[in-house]
Amino acid sequence: MLRATLVILWPSFVAAGIGISIIFTLIDPMELVVLGEHIRASRTTIYSLGFFIIWAIAALAAALTSFLQLGRNPGPRELGGGGNGADRSCPP
Amino acid sequence: MPTNPNVIPIAPAPAPISPPPNGDGDNEQALYEVRKKIYPRAVTGWFAKWRWAMVFLTQLVYYATPWLVWNDRQAVLFDLTARKFYIFGIVFWPQDFIYLAVLLMICAYSLFLFTAVAGRLWCGYACPQTVYTEMFLWIERAIEGDRVKRMKLDDSPLSASKFGRKALKHGAWIALSLWTGFTLVAYFVPARELVAMAVEVRIPPWETFWIMFYGFATYGNAGWMREQVCKYMCPYARFQGAMFDRDTLIITYDPTRGEPRGPRSKSADYRAKGLGDCVDCGICVQVCPTGIDIRKGQQYECIGCAACIDGCDQVMDKMNYPRGLIRYATLNAVDQHWGWRDMVGRVLRPRVLIYSSVLVIIVAAAGYTLWHRVPVKVDVIRDRTTLAREVGDGQIENIYRLQVMNTQERTQRLKISASGIDSIVIHDLPQLVEVGPASSKLLPVAVRVDADKAKKGISRIEFNIVAVDDAGRPAPDVFSIHEKSAFYKP
Ligand code: SF4
Ligand code: SF4
């Protein structure tokens, strides 16, 4: 279970990293209007919080994907793509 | 560096070397699965030297860069609060977004190219996971001793000396991790300020958080999870297989030469006994940081670190056999007994040519645009509140806001004019506009046109920005920018 959690968290972490860089390069958080008001936090806070929000969403998607996969496949080993040595990414 | 270049025993390994790869290491409830804890044996040799050279090189760059100074400021600083990235002489603004995309593309294509040519070079020599694991292992070895000592220590009951050693090891790991986290944050907050804040214990909460976060990630990944990160978490480890082919250079065991494996005495004529070159000593398995047996053929767990090559070469030297039972080779080369010449002859294949030409094109284009980068950027924004109004003496006036950004670190003097319609003038702008180094200015601009000169509706106009020197003449590295906009007459 813990392994599944990390397999979900890590790729979504990378995705959040790329996502946050793209979003906040294009948008200045100081110009964001949330619910009709300018945000009053510092940029650092917004970047950091933004990162965690995107990470959470990406992790949610990854979790759902692996949950759906789990239903179709015989065992939880498939979740991480194996690890039993039988699953070889290199050509034989 | 491995502390004790240990003597390699040439004796048969305890019966089943694999699948439980590393002898009898204790079953440890690792972070997220029950795994055999792996105790990699220290290895010395040619590739180990290269691996350490890369550790030094990458970490020297990583830890030293925030301390470099350029133009009286930190040479490399990603100033997120001011939304400016300083990289030596260049200041990047959010408007330079394209370079971020280009950088990502260059990274991706380099990875494709390296992988197609020589497999997991990145994993074996440069990936932070490998590099920090190597550093953490070095600390572990220095404090707890080499493989057998570490296994014994872990098996022994808790004693004062065991506790002391473990505490010392974790202390050293945590110190290194914190320094790593600190260095990461020093890329975003000037390093010297950060030190001053640290001395006075007043690092702001988010900065503290990120130091801890990255430090904890380093400690966990390099100290505890190690090879599991590569095996189960790393996406590259999985999809690199798609970039491989039978001519990719990988770490291989030569079964025709090695098999049938088996122990023998050094003096015996092993060939007469029908044995191959592999003495079945298990060294290649013991040095492997991922705990696999390369003799079973290509496995996705293999990170291409070449530790098994060094280990086996030492055994071969001891036995007076030629080196290279385990070596860098392509699958084709192993199957068909090719030498280096044949392998090198197969490097330039379509896949490699495509990856490299795309890479060359991207790098050349990025280099060209960087070289010819205009140091001033202008955004024209039309005033949204009033479209147009009539002013005295029969003129129509439109209001714009010009955002002028100076990406250079010296003051720019700019002459701004408008064109596109006869009689067009900028009403209220000073002769010269000065924009300070690496800063931007928002200029409200009123553009006026004689009412009878402009057509009804929208006309195209252009703002022209020319750099001038102190005397008002066009500056030596002269540039002019033309920004299009629209003029509206009701
Ligand atoms: S098999 Fe050899 S190259 Fe691969 S990870 Fe193990 S020691 Fe490194
Ligand atoms: S391949 Fe080399 S290191 Fe591995 S068991 Fe055989 S002789 Fe020993």
Side-chain angles (χ1 to χ4, degrees):
Chain A
M1 190 57 206
L2 252 164
R3 174 164 136 205
T5 313
L6 286 176
V7 169
I8 290 164
L9 284 184
W10 173 241
S12 43
F13 177 85
V14 176
I18 298 174
I20 197 88
S21 339
I22 295 176
I23 293 174
F24 284 131
T25 326
L26 296 176
I27 301 166
D28 180 352
M30 290 291 107
E31 283 169 16
L32 276 182
V33 175
V34 177
L35 304 176
E37 278 197 52
H38 278 282
I39 305 177
R40 245 169 293 156
S42 76
R43 282 199 179 113
T44 318
T45 312
I46 299 172
Y47 292 140
S48 304
L49 287 179
F51 177 79
F52 284 106
I53 293 171
I54 302 180
W55 190 8
I57 295 172
L60 184 69
L64 280 175
T65 304
S66 65
F67 175 72
L68 296 175
Q69 282 291 99
L70 208 59
R72 288 194 303 117
N73 283 328
R77 267 207 167 270
E78 295 298 309
L79 194 57
N84 45 14
D87 164 30
R88 291 181 183 172
S89 319
C90 307
Chain B
M1 203 84 29
T3 38
N4 44 348
N6 33 113
V7 188
I8 294 193
I10 303 184
I17 312 172
S18 49
N22 270 294
D24 31 32
D26 61 340
N27 245 343
E28 169 207 32
Q29 171 69 54
L31 264 181
Y32 56 99
E33 69 156 356
V34 182
R35 64 151 177 159
K36 282 272 182 193
K37 184 167 170 185
I38 294 173
Y39 296 87
R41 167 201 278 277
V43 68
T44 51
W46 205 74
F47 293 104
K49 283 209 188 87
W50 273 106
R51 233 176 13 259
W52 275 103
M54 285 304 289
V55 171
F56 279 115
L57 184 73
T58 51
Q59 294 318 292
L60 189 71
V61 170
Y62 176 71
Y63 290 112
T65 304
W67 301 98
L68 298 180
V69 174
W70 186 277
N71 279 350
D72 294 327
R73 55 148 170 93
Q74 189 163 319
V76 176
L77 180 67
F78 307 123
D79 190 346
L80 289 178
T81 39
R83 298 174 63 73
K84 270 178 247 168
F85 284 7
Y86 300 89
I87 298 175
F88 293 97
I90 310 178
V91 185
F92 289 97
W93 292 62
Q95 281 76 2
D96 293 313
F97 176 68
I98 182 76
Y99 291 107
L100 181 69
V102 166
L103 186 71
L104 287 178
M105 274 159 73
I106 292 179
C107 291
Y109 271 96
S110 317
L111 202 61
F112 293 173
L113 180 62
F114 283 130
T115 312
V117 173
R120 297 175 71 172
L121 275 187
W122 162 259
C123 300
Y125 297 93
C127 176
Q129 181 60 30
T130 311
V131 166
Y132 286 106
T133 302
E134 195 95 1
M135 286 158 56
F136 273 54
L137 263 173
W138 180 82
I139 294 177
E140 188 167 78
R141 266 199 294 273
I143 294 172
E144 293 184 355
D146 196 20
R147 186 167 187 267
V148 180
K149 283 205 190 126
R150 293 205 302 274
M151 285 159 57
K152 277 216 186 93
L153 185 72
D154 280 1
D155 272 345
S156 68
L158 188 64
S159 65
S161 105
K162 178 173 178 178
F163 182 81
R165 274 174 195 272
K166 291 276 172 198
L168 192 62
K169 176 179 88 174
H170 288 286
W173 279 1
I174 289 171
L176 179 60
S177 304
L178 282 180
W179 186 242
T180 309
F182 185 90
T183 306
L184 178 84
V185 173
Y187 279 90
F188 299 94
V189 178
R192 280 151 231 271
E193 278 174 39
L194 205 57
V195 169
M197 289 192 279
V199 169
E200 293 165 30
V201 204
R202 53 167 185 92
I203 300 184
W206 275 115
E207 281 76 358
T208 311
F209 170 80
W210 285 113
I211 292 175
M212 297 291 174
F213 185 90
Y214 198 70
F216 176 75
T218 309
Y219 173 74
N221 284 341
W224 292 96
M225 310 217 299
R226 296 194 176 161
E227 82 288 345
Q228 303 181 87
V229 174
C230 311
K231 278 193 196 169
Y232 308 122
M233 284 163 71
C234 176
Y236 170 66
R238 296 302 169 87
F239 67 65
Q240 42 99 14
M243 290 163 246
F244 268 68
D245 54 33
R246 297 192 59 83
D247 289 310
T248 298
L249 211 53
I250 47 173
I251 311 244
T252 53
Y253 164 75
D254 188 342
T256 9
R257 202 188 125 184
E259 300 298 318
R261 65 184 79 156
R264 74 287 309 270
S265 78
K266 202 174 160 184
S267 50
D269 181 1
Y270 67 102
R271 288 201 201 277
K273 282 167 76 186
L275 287 173
D277 278 1
C278 173
V279 301
D280 208 5
C281 60
I283 294 290
C284 51
V285 182
Q286 293 176 13
V287 297
C288 179
T290 66
I292 57 167
D293 184 349
I294 190 68
R295 294 174 299 172
K296 289 184 179 167
Q298 258 303 287
Q299 291 147 74
Y300 83 92
E301 290 96 335
C302 172
I303 58 167
C305 68
C308 52
I309 301 189
D310 282 334
C312 187
D313 276 350
Q314 284 181 9
V315 179
M316 295 293 111
D317 289 354
K318 280 254 160 55
M319 300 298 289
N320 288 325
Y321 300 167
R323 288 183 163 202
L325 178 56
I326 303 178
R327 61 173 183 271
Y328 269 108
T330 67
L331 288 174
N332 273 336
V334 171
D335 287 352
Q336 299 165 35
H337 310 288
W338 289 351
W340 271 102
R341 259 166 185 277
D342 303 301
M343 279 196 279
V344 172
R346 298 285 289 247
V347 166
L348 294 181
R349 46 196 192 276
R351 172 195 292 265
V352 172
L353 291 177
I354 292 170
Y355 289 153
S356 20
S357 30
V358 173
L359 193 60
V360 167
I361 292 170
I362 300 175
V363 170
Y368 179 84
T369 50
L370 260 185
W371 188 254
H372 292 276
R373 219 163 82 106
V374 176
V376 168
K377 291 180 199 306
V378 179
D379 282 345
V380 180
I381 309 145
R382 273 194 60 98
D383 188 81
R384 286 184 215 117
T385 44
T386 45
L387 276 178
R389 67 186 183 119
E390 257 176 81
V391 288
D393 32 294
Q395 284 184 312
I396 309 285
E397 184 183 79
N398 278 199
I399 308 283
Y400 305 81
R401 280 183 303 150
L402 301 192
Q403 170 110 44
V404 185
M405 285 156 278
N406 176 9
T407 65
Q408 266 186 347
E409 292 181 86
R410 58 183 176 79
T411 305
Q412 294 279 0
R413 286 179 188 77
L414 306 168
K415 225 179 209 165
I416 301 177
S417 60
S419 62
I421 308 174
D422 276 346
S423 80
I424 190 166
V425 284
I426 297 182
H427 174 63
D428 52 357
L429 207 63
Q431 264 285 303
L432 285 183
V433 175
E434 261 189 28
V435 187
S439 56
S440 77
K441 218 171 205 176
L442 194 63
L443 303 168
V445 170
V447 172
R448 290 183 178 183
V449 170
D450 289 349
D452 50 338
K453 293 280 175 23
K455 67 175 187 341
K456 225 175 155 54
I458 292 188
S459 317
R460 298 256 137 245
I461 61 163
E462 232 176 35
F463 287 94
N464 311 303
I465 298 94
V466 183
V468 292
D469 63 13
D470 294 344
R473 290 185 298 264
D477 47 344
V478 69
F479 63 84
S480 56
I481 309 169
H482 306 282
E483 277 297 320
K484 291 195 174 53
S485 190
F487 189 91
Y488 176 71
K489 178 185 168 186

